[in-house]
Amino acid sequence: MADSFTTSVLRIATGSTETVTDLTHDCEEFLTRTAAGRDGLLNVFVPHATAGIAVLEVGAGSDDDLLAALHTLLPADERWQHRHGSPGHGRDHVLPALVPPHATLPVIAGQLALGTWQSVCLVDTNMDNPDRQVRLSFLG
């Protein structure tokens, strides 16, 4: 049985371009304040219909590769039924089906248990909404 549940909201400004924003340091800081050497789970959730959470390598081009792949799979054109905002904005509403709005990650002894090259990232292709929230919740 879990001893505690703690949650906090990050406010992220993604700007006016498609982005992959590394949240790993924010997650680690949150766990330093809340996990206190305990084992548990970190849930990362973005409460927006047009953004997602991914675990991937950043800094070596994988983040740019992800955005390029999303452009191929979800082109920003007029094919989408959802048609408000910027041209092709309907694709942004399909994004969470491919990059889910959440990730649940193991925490061991208060530390995020990621692989060597893994980072926790906010994926945001919606250029119409540059202000995002990300909820971090620790259960342990």
Side-chain angles (χ1 to χ4, degrees), residues 52-113:
I53 301 295
V55 177
L56 73 155
E57 180 180 7
V58 294
S62 296
D63 39 351
D64 292 331
D65 290 342
L66 174 59
L67 292 175
L70 291 172
H71 261 282
T72 300
L73 293 170
L74 305 172
D77 59 24
E78 296 303 319
R79 74 184 68 200
W80 308 101
Q81 299 296 314
H82 189 105
R83 293 186 185 205
H84 70 81
S86 298
H89 173 66
R91 80 185 190 111
D92 300 325
H93 288 273
V94 176
L95 173 76
L98 300 175
V99 181
H102 58 88
T104 300
L105 306 163
V107 176
I108 308 297
Q111 302 292 312
L112 194 54

Side-chain angles (χ1 to χ4, degrees), residues 10 12-15 17-21 23 44-56 66-67 70 74 82 84 89-103 121-135:
L10 302 173
I12 308 291
T14 56
T17 60
E18 298 178 354
T19 62
V20 175
T21 303
L23 303 174
V44 184
F45 175 72
V46 57
H48 299 284
T50 58
I53 301 295
V55 177
L56 73 155
L66 174 59
L67 292 175
L70 291 172
L74 305 172
H82 189 105
H84 70 81
H89 173 66
R91 80 185 190 111
D92 300 325
H93 288 273
V94 176
L95 173 76
L98 300 175
V99 181
H102 58 88
C121 299
L122 170 65
V123 179
D124 188 2
T125 59
N126 181 359
M127 297 179 289
D128 294 338
N129 185 1
D131 300 311
R132 297 301 190 164
Q133 294 180 15
V134 177
R135 178 168 296 281

